[in-house]
Amino acid sequence: MSECRTCAATVTDGDAFCEACGAPLGPDPTGPVQSDPAQPDAVQPDPAQPDAVEPDAVQPAGLEPDSVQGEADLAVCRACGGAVEDGYCTQCGARAPSPRDHFEEHPADWVAGVCDKGKLHARNEDGMAVAVTAAGVAVLVVCDGVTTAPESDRASLAAARAAAQALTGASLAGAPPSWDVALRAAARAANAEAVGVAKVLGNPSEPPSCTFVAAVVVGGTVHVAWCGDSRAYWVPDNGEPVALTVDHSLGTELIRGGMSPDEAEHDPSFHTITRWLGADSLNATPDIGAHPLDGAGWVVVASDGLWNYASTPEALAAALSRAVTDDPDPLAVARHMVAFANDQGGHDNITVAVARHGAHVD
Amino acid sequence: MADFKAEVFQNEYLSAGSTDVHAVVSVTCTNAGAAGQTGGAAAEIVIIDTSGSMDMPVAKINAARRAAAVAVNEVIDGTWFAVLSGHSIAQMVYPPTPGMVKMSSSARADALGAISRLRSGGATAIGAWIAAATELFDQLPGSPQCHAILLTDGKVEGEPSTALPAALRRARGRFQCDCRGVGDDWQVDELRGIADALLGTVDIVARPDDLEADFESMMRTAMSRGVADARLRVWAPQGSEVLFVRQVAPAVEDLTAKAEEVTPLVRQYPTGAWSDESRDYHIAVRVPVADPGQERLAARVEVVIDDDVVAKGLVRAVWSTDVQLTTKINPAVAHYTGQAQLAEAIRDGLAARAAGDDRTATVLLGKAAKLAHESGNENTTRLLSKVVDVVDADAGTVRLRNEVAKADEMALDTRSTKTTRIRRDGSSPGTNG
């Protein structure tokens, strides 16, 4: 038996989520979080205090793909009050809500993420892992599972956690020689997990697969890597918001071919992705980029469940601004943006991870 | 101890407002062992029709003696057994006095001697034979795994019409019975009714010389059934309706009417004894609708032995607005829906033909020819071609033959329920697939 990091309830070893509060369990994916997290501007790796890092505490990685299935079910059906067995109500058959449907991570007071089922999908196939290392490096990873391939929810969560582990590990080892190299390694680790889930399932003809986007906020720079159509944005408090990723999708091809973005978004093939992670991936090599964080602002990493309702950097910035005005705490901001997507219809799973760069919003 | 595995094949996605969930549940049993060796004792009765007609021609009674002998040779030592001669009554062949004995080398030798002295004469009172077998099984200690083989060459006569239904009511659940008709003077419906009630197979053995091989394989199969009795237990949610539970491989057999209620939400269906084998079940449930994004368990399908759940499969319903997801038909469901339609078209087509409605018969048997061709069911295609001239299998165009051997028609009738198995990769074995 061990203890839930979030609410201190006693939990069963091997469970994926805390039965009491729903927080994900497993090895701490965030590494040791500083009790008084420094602002990113102030954060520099401190070579004078290498001992501050406890390697044991930073085997993040979180869950094995299998343990995702071990998630705790609520004991009573929300729809009719019946008992729950196999994850379903024994009376009306309704699927018992699972902690996997909605989870949040808030590793530091400047970094948070929310991963939500949305309204129209029965399962949350988005995966997310958000971490902050002792050195003050923020890692935001989002993987969007492909709905048509069964068990993509396992692949996406395992992939996101593997990438976050690889990147926090790289940070702990001191500044990596190159964040590009670390991001490529993280994508490989994520892909290996997605392929591993397919193996556990006996290599089905439609293997689970997912998109991948990772952002590393270190010093005054954000490094990004991505496969597919999950995105990263930089939204400065003052200045033009920018998209840090270019979707690997037929939509991008349409726009490259001369179609207007607005027109392309209405094309049925717009969302067909051309790169992804998984056993059937033709190309799991991420594109890599970096962008200077010029002044205070927000790094936003999101699945299409959000950006479908705010695709352009300007629209996304507007949604973010409304969220920040309501409550500038990063967790509140991520929750607010998820709620915004659900209010728009919640047609897909929604994941929003944010990192605040620079001074607190007043 | 036998191992059971249940696999579910379905498209769980339903469009908004849809309520009907279809799934194929494939149940596989391994390490079944042998009858009577892993569980309780096993018991076998061989019932040979010795009515007067078995002498006409005399080849029939001769072949029946040889067939009974090879069946007895397949019975494992230690198995309770008896041989009955059926005419106006059921008469003990072996042992000579009413009862059953355990198989041993001396019992086998005595039984073979008694079988060689079988004589024919009298009526065909199948109800009396079934009743006698039930009584013999009932006298055994404990609750052994009971199985019988019934051979006849004619239809019931020489007993009241209520005798057979009454005997079947008593025998149901007590023993399984494989039925064989030799020649072409027996009635397919009558034997099929017995086999259906007693969870057995039915087939025609048109040529008496083929009886031996058939009896040998039937008894060998019975002796390999190390699992005495398994049931399929189906839970469906409140407000739902189980539309049907149908075995679809190796043969179509509707179990819907055999449901026993366990609780208001749980029904149980008998499947009889199992050897190392796979059987597929098509299950359809109508569930209360839910909003897009909602998911409901449509059925929990369990294999149950003595109230122990030995395998389980979940049939799900997920409502979605994504037509890419909701419009896909699962290949296994599609294949077995076609195989059930094929069996139905043949049965109804033959019934129409018998009633002189050639037009309906031509349409239905044409549909059958098309379905059999498309699904690669070569056995059925071959049997059909003896009853109709297939003009265009793709289009389902056939011409009724004027001259049809009665045995060919009966073979088509009895074997129309045999299905082809869908391949593991989900493709139908059909030539078009």
Side-chain angles (χ1 to χ4, degrees):
Chain A
M1 301 298 264
S2 48
E3 215 171 65
C4 170
R5 285 189 305 278
T6 310
C7 73
T10 303
V11 296
T12 309
D13 291 333
D15 274 5
F17 293 88
C18 171
E19 201 137 357
C21 72
L25 302 174
D28 188 344
T30 65
V33 175
Q34 288 162 312
S35 53
D36 178 18
Q39 289 305 298
D41 273 353
V43 169
Q44 296 296 331
D46 189 349
Q49 293 186 347
D51 292 343
V53 172
E54 301 168 60
D56 275 356
V58 247
Q59 296 289 319
L63 305 177
E64 297 305 313
D66 272 355
S67 65
V68 179
Q69 293 298 297
E71 58 202 28
D73 292 317
L74 300 185
V76 170
C77 172
R78 269 189 204 166
C80 75
V84 169
E85 191 186 323
D86 297 329
Y88 297 91
C89 174
T90 54
Q91 293 300 308
C92 72
R95 189 166 85 91
S98 149
R100 179 73 176 82
D101 291 348
H102 176 101
F103 65 95
E104 302 178 343
E105 293 183 355
H106 194 197
D109 70 359
W110 54 286
V111 176
V114 175
C115 184
D116 185 84
K117 186 172 84 65
K119 282 192 171 161
L120 287 191
H121 277 218
R123 281 169 194 257
N124 182 11
E125 279 149 342
D126 277 6
M128 175 188 80
V130 178
V132 175
T133 68
V137 175
V139 171
L140 314 175
V141 185
V142 171
C143 293
D144 179 350
V146 176
T147 305
T148 49
E151 309 267 1
S152 285
D153 52 340
R154 292 174 68 180
S156 65
L157 190 59
R161 289 183 170 168
Q165 178 184 24
L167 290 167
T168 50
S171 165
L172 287 167
S178 145
W179 278 106
D180 291 3
V181 171
L183 281 163
R184 282 198 189 91
R188 274 197 304 277
N191 189 50
E193 285 295 330
V195 172
V197 171
K199 246 177 227 159
V200 169
L201 297 173
N203 297 315
S205 59
E206 246 180 314
S209 49
C210 62
T211 68
F212 170 76
V213 58
V216 177
V217 181
V218 50
T221 306
V222 56
H223 300 266
V224 294
W226 74 98
C227 273
D229 69 351
S230 296
R231 295 182 177 176
Y233 298 84
W234 163 237
V235 185
D237 292 354
N238 300 298
E240 292 290 310
V242 289
L244 303 174
T245 54
V246 179
D247 299 345
H248 298 126
S249 72
L250 291 183
T252 298
E253 303 301 320
L254 291 175
I255 293 166
R256 278 195 186 128
M259 206 181 261
S260 76
D262 201 39
E263 210 183 335
E265 282 187 24
H266 289 93
D267 192 280
S269 68
F270 182 81
H271 278 278
T272 304
I273 53 175
T274 52
R275 267 191 225 184
W276 62 88
L277 308 186
D280 64 345
S281 175
L282 303 172
N283 182 358
T285 309
D287 272 344
I288 303 281
H291 197 274
L293 303 178
D294 35 3
W298 297 83
V299 171
V300 180
V301 176
S303 65
D304 60 349
L306 172 74
W307 67 248
N308 273 335
Y309 306 114
S311 179
T312 62
E314 292 71 28
L316 188 105
L320 178 75
S321 161
R322 286 191 297 274
V324 172
T325 306
D326 188 57
D327 183 343
D329 172 70
L331 182 58
V333 168
R335 282 179 184 161
H336 192 288
M337 292 181 82
V338 166
F340 155 76
N342 271 322
D343 287 346
Q344 301 294 308
H347 289 84
D348 201 346
N349 307 138
I350 307 152
T351 305
V352 182
V354 297
R356 171 69 188 168
H357 178 74
H360 273 300
V361 180
D362 296 318
Chain B
M1 185 62 192
D3 300 313
F4 277 86
K5 188 177 74 171
E7 287 173 279
V8 177
F9 300 91
Q10 69 162 148
N11 175 15
E12 63 272 35
Y13 292 102
L14 297 180
S15 59
S18 295
T19 55
D20 293 0
V21 184
H22 288 260
V24 168
V25 180
S26 187
V27 178
T28 303
C29 173
T30 49
N31 301 321
Q37 294 194 342
T38 45
E44 289 288 341
I45 295 179
V46 179
I47 309 169
I48 301 295
D49 184 341
T50 55
S51 61
S53 57
M54 285 293 285
D55 263 344
M56 296 174 285
V58 75
K60 271 197 289 194
I61 188 70
N62 288 339
R65 282 195 207 102
R66 291 197 303 274
V70 295
V72 164
N73 274 328
E74 288 297 323
V75 175
I76 300 170
D77 281 5
T79 305
W80 293 105
F81 88 106
V83 181
L84 291 179
S85 148
H87 42 94
S88 309
I89 57 161
Q91 198 177 334
M92 295 304 300
V93 175
Y94 187 85
T97 53
M100 296 183 78
V101 295
K102 285 201 168 179
M103 181 59 89
S104 63
S105 46
S106 64
R108 184 175 284 113
D110 292 349
L112 294 178
I115 288 168
S116 71
R117 295 188 291 274
L118 271 178
R119 294 286 173 270
S120 53
T124 307
I126 300 181
W129 311 348
I130 300 277
T134 310
E135 245 170 72
L136 290 179
F137 284 134
D138 276 348
Q139 286 166 15
L140 294 174
S143 40
Q145 168 185 347
C146 300
H147 173 253
I149 295 177
L150 171 69
L151 175 71
T152 185
D153 76 329
K155 62 179 199 294
V156 172
E157 52 196 2
E159 68 179 0
S161 62
T162 52
L164 180 56
L168 288 178
R169 271 196 301 278
R170 255 195 75 202
R172 197 189 289 264
R174 286 291 299 117
F175 67 98
Q176 284 183 252
C177 186
D178 289 315
C179 302
R180 292 296 181 268
V182 60
D184 59 12
D185 280 337
W186 53 281
Q187 283 207 305
V188 174
D189 282 350
E190 200 166 78
L191 273 204
R192 181 152 51 207
I194 298 168
D196 186 57
L198 303 183
L199 305 180
T201 60
V202 59
D203 203 0
I204 180 172
V205 183
R207 300 184 327 127
D209 282 350
D210 293 336
L211 269 182
E212 252 179 285
D214 189 43
F215 269 53
E216 186 176 21
S217 97
M218 238 187 315
M219 188 58 85
R220 193 171 288 166
T221 301
M223 288 288 106
S224 70
R225 291 188 183 130
V227 177
D229 189 22
R231 273 149 215 282
L232 211 59
R233 192 177 277 180
V234 178
W235 172 95
Q238 216 151 42
S240 68
E241 181 193 350
V242 176
L243 298 176
F244 59 79
V245 173
R246 186 190 282 159
Q247 181 187 287
V248 287
V252 180
E253 204 176 301
D254 199 339
L255 300 177
T256 316
K258 293 184 174 149
E260 305 157 18
E261 188 176 302
V262 178
T263 74
L265 301 184
V266 177
R267 276 162 192 74
Q268 199 161 264
Y269 304 84
T271 67
W274 286 66
S275 58
D276 286 353
E277 60 182 306
S278 268
R279 302 182 199 174
D280 293 345
Y281 298 90
H282 182 170
I283 290 164
V285 185
R286 180 164 294 161
V287 295
V289 74
D291 290 333
Q294 301 290 304
E295 177 175 343
R296 199 191 286 291
L297 188 65
R300 180 186 285 103
V301 181
E302 295 169 329
V303 181
V304 178
I305 297 174
D306 296 333
D307 273 336
D308 288 334
V309 176
V310 294
K312 176 166 74 176
L314 301 181
V315 178
R316 307 189 295 131
V318 180
W319 282 268
S320 171
T321 51
D322 185 345
V323 292
Q324 263 195 38
L325 296 174
T326 57
T327 52
K328 272 199 234 168
I329 294 170
N330 178 276
V333 170
H335 174 75
Y336 286 128
T337 301
Q339 294 292 293
Q341 286 171 348
L342 169 59
E344 195 185 354
I346 289 174
R347 193 176 296 194
D348 293 351
L350 289 177
R353 189 174 178 278
D357 182 355
D358 284 358
R359 225 177 120 152
T360 305
T362 306
V363 170
L364 289 174
L365 294 176
K367 179 184 171 188
K370 181 173 156 68
L371 286 167
H373 172 68
E374 283 172 355
S375 63
N377 193 331
E378 284 162 20
N379 279 332
T380 299
T381 299
R382 191 170 42 76
L383 293 167
L384 258 171
S385 68
K386 291 181 180 168
V387 176
V388 295
D389 288 318
V390 180
V391 179
D392 181 349
D394 285 323
T397 316
V398 299
R399 217 176 287 122
L400 297 186
R401 287 194 176 187
N402 292 328
E403 297 289 321
V404 175
K406 196 175 171 208
D408 286 337
E409 195 176 337
M410 291 166 78
L412 178 62
D413 201 357
T414 52
R415 295 175 188 168
S416 60
T417 57
K418 296 226 171 77
T419 56
T420 51
R421 204 75 193 257
I422 189 154
R423 287 196 192 130
R424 276 288 150 193
D425 61 6
S427 72
S428 149
T431 46
N432 296 5

